[in-house]
Amino acid sequence: AGSLLLLLVSNLLLYLFDRAVVLSHYIHNLSSEMFSEFDKRYTHGRGFITKAINSCHTSSLATPEDKEQAQQINQKDFLSLIVSILRSWNEPLYHLVTEVRGMQEAPEAILSKAVEIEEQTKRLLEGMELIVSQVHPETKENEIYPVWSGLPSLQMADEESRLSAYYNLLHCLRRDSHKIDNYLKLLKCRIIHNNNC
Amino acid sequence: MDLWQLLLTLALAGSSDAFSGSEDSSKEPKFTKCRSPERETFSCHWTDEVHHGTKNLGPIQLFYTRRNTQEWTQEWKECPDYVSAGENSCYFNSSFTSIWIPYCIKLTSNGGTVDEKCFSVDEIVQPDPPIALNWTLLNVSLTGIHADIQVRWEAPRNADIQKGWMVLEYELQYKEVNETKWKMMDPILSTSVPVYSLKVDKEYEVRVRSKQRNSGNYGEFSEVLYVTLPQMNQFTCEEDFYFPWLLIIIFGIFGLTVMLFVFLFSKQQRIKMLILPPVPVPKIKGIDPDLLKEGKLEEVNTILAIHDSYKPEFHSDDSWVEFIELDIDEPDEKTEGSDTDRLLSSDHEKSHSNLGVKDGDSGRTSCCEPDILETDFNANDIHEGTSEVAQPQRLKGEADLLCLDQKNQNNSPYHDVCPATQQPSVIQAEKNKPQPLPTEGAESTHQAAHIQLSNPSSLANIDFYAQVSDITPAGSVVLSPGQKNKAGMSQCDMHPEMVSLCQENFLMDNAYFCEADAKKCIPVAPHIKVESHIQPSFNQEDIYITTESLTTAAGRPGTAEHVPGSEMPVPDYTSIHIVQSPQGLILNATALPLPDKEFLSSCGYVSTDQLNKIMP
């Protein structure tokens, strides 16, 4: 019975991780496309990347920046890190959708992607919380996550500053979604396939 | 010699000038490519600078900077390794490589920035080519001309697939050896793929390249894999198993044909019957087909009348009968249920409906057709428990509602009853008048209905069968007055009740009445606020009022005008001219001389607007 339960649980985990990876991959694709479209339409060739002095609001989190660091971080912290990142993006995504929708000529392609990303991120967060409850049931609910305070910059009157704020936000979104995707793939191979994907 | 030397130096100077000039102006070191093969290290390359001429640009240096966690430090560091990646390159090992942190590099020469570039490592990921390509034969087609193979390979060694650090997708290309254009397959995530429909006699080349799944570019192609498919003996296949299908088919057809002919020309009746049974002729029970052939329709009709389902087409004899169908535009106004309920029970209706009738509710039975079966109608909403039996009788020509006469005679109770209350009366009638069909789509319908004589005055002057002259879209029926002064009809002298009657007439809804009649009725009961009654009442339940009734109702008041209803030769049937639902119908007033010219020439009924005009 114990082995059966283990089998069941491992199957459930496999399913959850599979689903999580699919979602994170999808979200990252959407973010990349959204960023490309925004850049192409509004900011291309204007050197915004060098001007982007603002960093992402999730930079305060100690996220692994390369493979070695990713291998060193332990599983539990890794999972809670991912959850924190996801939680911290709830509010920015909500405001992104609201602000883009309120634009005078709301770019439909960008708006639809933003809406989809917001929706899927919520789902991914739910899935992650499920995984955490399965793998580390004793984890205390840690609601601490970086807070985003970029709303005023999105609403600035100066177009240059406003575009810069959007650029930064979308750039950060693309980067963080890629991080989450990468981390989940690492964790999946580590937890499910024992580093032998 | 001097001339030659001069020319040589000039030439050299010129060439050197040209070189140095081009170098100075256009040949500057530029970044050619930055690449990371496995997302753990990366290297950047720049153009080879040629130093010629007077200008010495000095050593090229590369500086890089990367954004720290919080701020964008402009602290430029020099390249850690100029060697490992070859000439004119800078190699960053894993300790210098961060994935999600953007880098900026710049190339300097003599302190001056020559080129600058910013990127993040994911953007420059270009995996190494896949290795260990091989192929296996899957199957060969039956014809031996085509074959399918499965190509397999492995991911490049330095890409960490096992830990999930990299996820690669691959693209396979193949072509015949002597072709120039490569055929491409869609990107795949796995490391093996089938290739279909390769020609056996040709030799193929296959190559694969990889790319990181979400970002970066395709890496270099792998080594070419040569595929030579084993030639098969094409002849052996065909001779192996050859079933003589053609012969079997031919012999089979031949044999069947022989059998068929044998049976056809055989004298044996039994076998003939078995093979080709005779087709049964149509037969109806009790009817001699010869009758039908001879065209004795009457006899056939009588025979068939026994059967319930048969409805004889008695109208075929009556050329003067016209079928008019009512097309009700507003189905919501025509409350079918109430109509049906009131007029007939549904099964009786159906039993009486002619075959040619579109409207299931209408019965086309002539009033006085002796062949028509009697029908019993049971109105669902019979008030006060009165039940009617409509006796179909034939109406003749300009026939009045004689049937009513008979009916009234049969139903004596109705003579004496002069109820003050109005009840919906339904009349079964048939439109016999050969008038041209009404224009503009207005139609009248034949209504088989109960006759419920509730209005004593109407009883007095209206036969039991009254003719429906109009149908309102809302469903009420306007009866034409028919014969006036029917003999034998007891007149309910309703004088004292006329007033109230009139009042009640107007109280009911959908009252259709002649303008003249209306005018009559109004002065009758001056104290009655007819106007107020009429208007709201138009939307309520149906009431059937004949012009006749109104006429008689109005006959009592002491108006100077002679009762138009009683003396005016109102035709029994008027065709509908215009249907203005729900306000009213305008009838063709072919024979309705109105005493009052201010009204519309067409009588029959008024619209509410006209009524308002009439009212004081």
Side-chain angles (χ1 to χ4, degrees):
Chain A
S3 58
L4 190 67
L5 191 67
L6 202 67
L7 192 71
L8 221 70
V9 168
S10 66
N11 270 344
L12 173 68
L13 260 183
L14 175 64
Y15 165 75
L16 287 175
F17 260 111
D18 261 344
R19 228 182 109 61
V21 166
V22 164
L23 272 177
S24 67
H25 187 86
Y26 180 51
I27 291 169
H28 174 60
N29 271 349
L30 286 175
S31 309
S32 294
E33 285 172 18
M34 189 165 71
F35 176 77
S36 301
E37 276 169 29
F38 177 85
D39 189 32
K40 191 168 76 178
R41 188 172 162 149
Y42 295 105
T43 57
H44 185 66
R46 288 159 72 170
F48 270 82
I49 186 164
T50 51
K51 288 186 205 162
I53 53 171
N54 303 325
S55 61
C56 302
H57 68 285
T58 49
S59 302
S60 58
L61 287 172
T63 53
E65 295 294 331
D66 59 31
K67 193 173 100 172
E68 280 114 38
Q69 290 177 17
Q71 282 176 299
Q72 282 159 16
I73 191 169
N74 72 55
Q75 191 175 294
K76 187 170 164 203
D77 292 338
F78 215 173
L79 281 167
S80 59
L81 186 70
I82 296 171
V83 170
S84 294
I85 299 175
L86 285 170
R87 282 211 186 105
S88 77
W89 271 101
N90 269 341
E91 200 179 315
L93 283 171
Y94 169 77
H95 286 295
L96 175 70
V97 167
T98 317
E99 292 301 313
V100 170
R101 199 175 267 150
M103 273 186 192
Q104 259 184 340
E105 292 166 1
E108 186 54 43
I110 294 174
L111 176 64
S112 61
K113 287 189 173 74
V115 167
E116 185 71 3
I117 290 170
E118 189 196 1
E119 170 73 29
Q120 300 301 333
T121 306
K122 285 195 187 120
R123 296 238 194 102
L124 181 58
L125 180 58
E126 286 167 12
M128 287 312 300
E129 283 165 352
L130 252 178
I131 289 173
V132 168
S133 69
Q134 289 293 316
V135 180
H136 300 285
E138 74 281 358
T139 307
K140 218 168 46 173
E141 264 290 313
N142 186 15
E143 286 286 340
I144 297 175
Y145 54 86
V147 174
W148 178 72
S149 54
L151 184 58
S153 58
L154 281 186
Q155 296 166 327
M156 286 211 277
D158 175 35
E159 198 200 330
E160 189 89 356
S161 319
R162 201 173 63 239
L163 279 179
S164 176
Y166 273 104
Y167 184 92
N168 198 54
L169 180 66
L170 293 178
H171 189 261
C172 288
L173 178 63
R174 185 179 75 158
R175 191 194 76 165
D176 282 354
S177 63
H178 189 232
K179 271 192 189 176
I180 290 169
D181 186 38
N182 212 158
Y183 295 164
L184 278 174
K185 282 168 181 163
L186 282 170
L187 272 176
K188 181 178 164 209
C189 286
R190 200 202 281 194
I191 295 176
I192 308 286
H193 302 278
N194 203 16
N195 274 335
N196 196 10
C197 266
Chain B
M1 276 307 273
D2 285 332
L3 190 62
W4 284 113
Q5 280 179 349
L6 190 66
L7 282 169
L8 200 64
T9 31
L10 276 172
L12 278 170
S15 61
S16 67
D17 274 340
F19 279 132
S20 57
S22 63
E23 266 183 312
D24 283 342
S25 56
S26 60
K27 197 117 170 87
E28 274 185 349
K30 277 195 192 317
F31 284 116
T32 49
K33 188 164 130 179
C34 286
R35 177 181 173 239
S36 168
E38 76 292 75
R39 258 174 122 224
E40 294 170 49
T41 67
F42 72 98
S43 58
C44 282
H45 302 257
W46 57 87
T47 51
D48 200 0
E49 194 212 339
V50 179
H51 285 280
H52 282 288
T54 55
K55 252 189 173 177
N56 191 2
L57 295 173
I60 309 285
Q61 282 177 305
L62 184 143
F63 289 91
Y64 73 95
T65 179
R66 56 181 180 182
R67 205 171 61 200
N68 268 356
T69 51
Q70 286 300 333
E71 70 269 0
W72 183 257
T73 55
Q74 289 294 323
E75 191 189 302
W76 294 91
K77 298 179 202 157
E78 198 171 351
C79 169
D81 187 340
Y82 283 105
V83 177
S84 301
E87 286 247 358
N88 299 320
S89 71
C90 181
Y91 176 75
F92 296 84
N93 61 21
S94 52
S95 57
F96 291 97
T97 309
S98 306
I99 299 303
W100 293 286
I101 296 174
Y103 285 81
C104 276
I105 53 172
K106 67 178 180 184
L107 214 56
T108 60
S109 172
N110 268 354
T113 303
V114 180
D115 196 5
E116 195 168 336
K117 193 171 162 175
C118 291
F119 56 89
S120 63
V121 173
D122 263 317
E123 290 166 19
I124 59 169
V125 170
Q126 246 183 316
D128 282 339
I131 55 171
L133 268 77
N134 60 8
W135 68 275
T136 51
L137 183 70
L138 280 178
N139 51 31
V140 185
S141 71
L142 284 170
T143 55
I145 298 173
H146 296 281
D148 307 329
I149 60 169
Q150 184 87 10
V151 182
R152 286 195 182 83
W153 60 89
E154 286 173 19
R157 289 264 178 262
N158 52 10
D160 195 345
I161 308 290
Q162 287 80 21
K163 296 205 187 72
W165 182 241
M166 275 187 96
V167 178
L168 296 175
E169 67 180 21
Y170 305 95
E171 189 197 58
L172 185 141
Q173 295 184 359
Y174 69 98
K175 72 173 178 64
E176 285 176 38
V177 173
N178 49 13
E179 272 180 356
T180 49
K181 206 166 170 219
W182 288 90
K183 289 200 192 89
M184 269 173 267
M185 290 179 64
D186 289 332
I188 36 175
L189 295 174
S190 59
T191 57
S192 81
V193 77
V195 183
Y196 297 114
S197 257
L198 296 180
K199 294 206 194 94
V200 166
D201 55 347
K202 302 265 168 50
E203 198 174 323
Y204 285 87
E205 296 174 348
V206 175
R207 60 182 190 178
V208 188
R209 60 180 180 173
S210 62
K211 169 174 133 29
Q212 200 193 18
R213 198 166 160 206
N214 264 346
S215 52
N217 302 310
Y218 272 109
E220 289 297 320
F221 277 106
S222 65
E223 284 178 6
V224 170
L225 176 73
Y226 287 94
V227 178
T228 312
L229 293 157
Q231 286 269 351
M232 304 195 98
N233 192 357
Q234 295 186 4
F235 296 110
T236 53
C237 293
E238 292 172 79
E239 276 175 0
D240 245 8
F241 201 66
Y242 175 63
F243 203 76
W245 287 112
L246 196 64
L247 280 172
I248 287 173
I249 288 167
I250 289 171
F251 275 112
I253 290 172
F254 184 65
L256 281 171
T257 318
V258 164
M259 278 164 62
L260 191 69
F261 275 111
V262 162
F263 285 127
L264 277 177
F265 296 118
S266 163
K267 297 271 165 49
Q268 301 256 10
Q269 283 294 321
R270 268 181 59 191
I271 299 174
K272 219 176 178 176
M273 293 270 284
L274 205 68
I275 305 296
L276 302 167
V279 177
V281 293
K283 194 170 179 186
I284 306 169
K285 243 194 267 184
I287 291 184
D288 187 3
D290 294 331
L291 262 184
L292 288 168
K293 284 186 202 163
E294 288 162 29
K296 297 206 175 118
L297 211 60
E298 290 296 323
E299 289 157 16
V300 176
N301 279 347
T302 48
I303 293 166
L304 292 173
I306 301 162
H307 297 272
D308 289 330
S309 55
Y310 182 71
K311 268 76 71 180
E313 284 278 346
F314 58 89
H315 290 291
S316 54
D317 292 331
D318 305 325
S319 58
W320 48 266
V321 169
E322 292 171 312
F323 291 163
I324 297 160
E325 292 169 358
L326 177 74
D327 190 16
I328 305 248
D329 292 321
E330 284 106 345
D332 52 343
E333 282 196 12
K334 182 184 164 93
T335 54
E336 268 225 325
S338 58
D339 272 349
T340 308
D341 290 343
R342 223 172 292 112
L343 298 176
L344 285 171
S345 64
S346 50
D347 21 57
H348 287 290
E349 279 186 345
K350 284 189 173 83
S351 68
H352 256 265
S353 59
N354 267 339
L355 299 173
V357 175
K358 227 168 49 171
D359 184 3
D361 284 340
S362 66
R364 298 221 171 219
T365 55
S366 160
C367 219
C368 306
E369 177 71 28
D371 293 341
I372 307 298
L373 299 171
E374 271 194 32
T375 55
D376 283 342
F377 301 108
N378 294 314
N380 292 341
D381 56 347
I382 290 173
H383 302 275
E384 300 173 358
T386 56
S387 61
E388 263 73 34
V389 175
Q391 186 102 19
Q393 297 178 11
R394 182 188 286 281
L395 296 175
K396 297 181 176 108
E398 291 286 325
D400 45 8
L401 306 166
L402 286 168
C403 304
L404 280 176
D405 276 346
Q406 294 186 3
K407 194 63 190 175
N408 284 334
Q409 285 158 15
N410 293 337
N411 299 293
S412 48
Y414 291 107
H415 286 255
D416 303 327
V417 172
C418 300
T421 61
Q422 288 290 343
Q423 298 191 7
S425 42
V426 173
I427 291 178
Q428 176 188 8
E430 183 183 14
K431 187 150 184 164
N432 290 340
K433 183 162 188 176
Q435 269 201 354
L437 285 173
T439 57
E440 300 184 45
E443 300 159 283
S444 63
T445 189
H446 293 280
Q447 290 271 346
H450 288 284
I451 297 177
Q452 192 165 11
L453 299 174
S454 52
N455 188 347
S457 64
S458 61
L459 250 184
N461 290 318
I462 300 173
D463 298 332
F464 193 76
Y465 296 92
Q467 181 165 24
V468 175
S469 49
D470 304 310
I471 285 279
T472 73
S476 34
V477 170
V478 180
L479 305 174
S480 71
Q483 288 286 347
K484 320 295 179 291
N485 307 321
K486 271 286 153 231
M489 300 284 287
S490 64
Q491 294 266 346
C492 282
D493 222 356
M494 300 292 300
H495 294 275
E497 298 163 2
M498 283 283 210
V499 171
S500 56
L501 192 67
C502 207
Q503 172 184 3
E504 277 157 326
N505 277 346
F506 286 111
L507 277 174
M508 304 309 280
D509 285 340
N510 298 316
Y512 291 84
F513 34 82
C514 253
E515 296 163 0
D517 299 335
K519 197 178 179 187
K520 302 257 172 331
C521 209
I522 290 153
V524 168
H527 59 283
I528 298 171
K529 290 209 167 85
V530 181
E531 177 178 355
S532 59
H533 285 308
I534 288 182
Q535 288 216 332
S537 63
F538 262 89
N539 295 326
Q540 293 172 16
E541 284 304 308
D542 297 339
I543 171 195
Y544 299 91
I545 299 179
T546 65
T547 50
E548 180 67 31
S549 68
L550 288 168
T551 306
T552 50
R556 137 95 181 163
T559 52
E561 300 172 11
H562 65 122
V563 182
S566 53
E567 290 181 14
M568 262 171 43
V570 181
D572 294 336
Y573 309 94
T574 48
S575 59
I576 299 172
H577 179 56
I578 300 168
V579 180
Q580 295 171 357
S581 64
Q583 305 307 319
L585 300 169
I586 298 177
L587 303 176
N588 287 332
T590 48
L592 296 170
L594 286 173
D596 205 339
K597 295 224 167 79
E598 74 180 35
F599 295 113
L600 288 176
S601 59
S602 63
C603 184
Y605 58 95
V606 299
S607 61
T608 42
D609 298 338
Q610 292 164 346
L611 192 63
N612 294 336
K613 275 191 274 175
I614 302 166
M615 313 261 200

